[in-house]
Amino acid sequence: MPETALHVGRVESLPFGEITYIAHLDGRNDCVVIDPGFEPEPVIDYIEQHGLRPAAILCTHGHPDHIAGNAALKKRWPDCPIVIGAGDAEKLTDPVLNLSAAFGLRVTSPPADRTLRDGDRFEAAGIELEAYDTPGHSKGHIVLVCKQVSPWRVFGGD
């Protein structure tokens, strides 16, 4: 069986240096966007410049620097689902819970279209991901592991 190639682009977002990942399989034009930060315009530019179309917006957790771009991406691609760990879903729409209100930012996101729990599998753009609960940094923090490539890829957020 031929090796699957997973291409992963990255866009840094200020002011925290948060990284948004855009992943797609070789030969496909659909992708997943992971943790869209405070500067969604460069993420949208990257997607469009590479001829890609998001199939899912994935959030490793609900802190503002990992969800701030959700609204802009959802506005540009309204059918694209937002996916987050079940324990952090409420942070998407609540600036107190996502900690942005304390900094006077009041970041909100559209609500989750799907939530993931430990051991759940999620597939979008042909990319198969397994979710693992990793509470600590955030109570609902998840990491997403792609085991269909070698070496495996882990999208872990902070």
Side-chain angles (χ1 to χ4, degrees), residues 104-123:
L105 300 174
R106 304 205 58 83
V107 173
T108 60
S109 161
D113 295 293
R114 176 157 178 207
T115 59
L116 300 175
R117 297 185 184 281
D118 193 57
D120 283 349
R121 293 174 187 231
F122 179 77
E123 187 274 326

Side-chain angles (χ1 to χ4, degrees), residues 62-63 67 87-95 97-98 107 138-140:
H63 287 160
I67 67 167
D88 266 16
E90 63 189 351
K91 288 183 172 96
L92 292 174
T93 58
D94 189 326
L97 293 176
N98 70 34
V107 173
S138 177
K139 77 173 185 173

Side-chain angles (χ1 to χ4, degrees), residues 30-47:
D30 48 354
C31 66
V32 295
V33 179
I34 302 163
D35 289 341
F38 280 109
E39 297 180 304
E41 295 81 12
V43 174
I44 292 169
D45 290 346
Y46 180 98
I47 292 166

